[in-house]
Amino acid sequence: IMDRSIDILSALATQLTYEGLIDEFYDINNTTVNFPADKFSSSSDDVNFSRVAPSTEMKQIMLNSKEELYVELRDKNFNAVGPVLSRLAKTITTAASERHGEKTIQELKKIVETLPKLKANEMSLANHTTIASLIKDHISQYEFLDELSCEQDFMMCVDLDKPSEFIEGMICKQKPIEKVLRLICMQSAAGNGLKQKVLDGYKKEIVHSYGIEALLKLGRLEKSGLIKVQMGSRSYN
């Protein structure tokens, strides 16, 4: 049971890798993501980028393993993204400075051969610096940090036997029902189920805020075992 609880918690927790956070906030769909177009340089001519209909004011971006920088960044914790971008910026600056001054024909030939890759790296750096900035804006919000804190409390088995004030606050504010149910599932997994009184309380508040149809989603989660009534002592520690 403990191993299953850990597996469930791992799957439900907020993704904190670079690629995971892009997916959390902007939804990666078949390697394609839409970002606010005004955040990117209008002069971008990267083949991986294309302008969507002007009225949407979004820029469609392809994220895949063909891009070296994305391969390096995608699975890193977001805190490690900045140093990678900084390192690449220094490398590009050094390479650019080496192009100046008197060169032999052979040296010029080598420089010309590296220009396409250098230009691609410059474009990649500019794009991912912008994306990282957008992600930073999201994860700096109090709401995101509070939600992350709630998840961590569940993982540390803090106050599992009573209703979460944070979850109740989300319900009252009618936050997306998927986020609410995800946190309830995490509390259930960490506590080997919810006390009947706690589960009934959540159901009552959810119906009041989201309507009776929300019980169908709760019912499916109970049927799958992601939400259940606590039987006996907790086994996850």
Side-chain angles (χ1 to χ4, degrees):
I1 295 176
M2 181 179 70
D3 289 342
R4 182 172 184 271
S5 295
I6 294 174
D7 289 342
I8 292 173
L9 286 169
S10 297
L12 291 170
T14 297
Q15 305 176 76
L16 294 177
T17 62
Y18 181 62
E19 183 176 56
L21 285 168
I22 294 174
D23 187 45
E24 288 278 347
F25 297 119
Y26 294 100
D27 187 25
I28 299 175
N29 186 12
N30 293 325
T31 75
T32 302
V33 192
N34 289 321
F35 292 101
D38 61 341
K39 301 296 183 181
F40 294 85
S41 171
S42 59
S43 62
S44 172
D45 58 357
D46 189 341
V47 295
N48 287 336
F49 289 69
S50 60
R51 177 75 67 177
V52 187
S55 60
T56 65
E57 297 184 349
M58 299 295 286
K59 184 175 285 292
Q60 191 177 81
I61 301 177
M62 295 292 291
L63 298 174
N64 55 50
S65 58
K66 292 181 180 180
E67 185 181 6
E68 290 183 11
L69 180 56
Y70 184 61
V71 170
E72 184 175 1
L73 292 175
R74 66 191 306 173
D75 294 325
K76 289 188 180 297
N77 183 282
F78 188 75
N79 290 329
V81 169
V84 174
L85 295 176
S86 178
R87 188 190 71 229
L88 179 59
K90 291 178 181 178
T91 300
I92 290 174
T93 300
T94 300
S97 64
E98 291 177 350
R99 287 183 290 173
H100 302 292
E102 293 186 6
K103 305 290 182 184
T104 65
I105 297 298
Q106 194 62 28
E107 288 173 333
L108 288 173
K109 181 180 178 182
K110 289 182 178 180
I111 290 175
V112 170
E113 290 173 350
T114 62
L115 284 178
K117 184 175 182 179
L118 181 61
K119 181 175 177 57
N121 285 341
E122 288 176 339
M123 184 64 66
S124 187
L125 175 63
N127 291 329
H128 285 289
T129 298
T130 299
I131 294 172
S133 178
L134 290 170
I135 296 299
K136 181 67 175 178
D137 289 342
H138 282 288
I139 67 175
S140 297
Q141 298 293 322
Y142 287 121
E143 183 175 326
F144 176 82
L145 296 174
D146 288 343
E147 186 173 341
L148 202 62
S149 178
C150 180
E151 292 181 10
Q152 291 171 347
D153 282 346
F154 290 155
M155 292 181 181
M156 296 296 292
C157 297
V158 176
D159 295 331
L160 294 175
D161 294 332
K162 63 181 184 181
S164 164
E165 292 183 3
F166 181 74
I167 292 178
E168 291 180 325
M170 291 183 72
I171 296 172
C172 289
K173 296 174 185 176
Q174 293 187 322
K175 295 296 182 180
I177 185 67
E178 290 77 13
K179 287 190 173 184
V180 172
L181 295 177
R182 179 162 65 91
L183 288 175
I184 293 176
C185 287
M186 288 189 71
Q187 184 176 359
S188 177
N192 191 26
L194 299 170
K195 288 187 175 297
Q196 185 69 62
K197 184 177 180 180
V198 174
L199 180 55
D200 290 342
Y202 282 149
K203 286 182 177 180
K204 181 179 179 180
E205 293 181 30
I206 286 174
V207 170
H208 180 73
S209 286
Y210 300 97
I212 193 69
E213 62 275 5
L215 281 180
L216 295 175
K217 295 186 178 188
L218 274 165
R220 287 193 288 268
L221 290 171
E222 287 185 271
K223 186 176 181 179
S224 70
L226 288 173
I227 294 178
K228 62 182 181 179
V229 176
Q230 188 181 99
M231 303 295 290
S233 60
R234 295 202 306 265
S235 59
Y236 167 71
N237 185 358

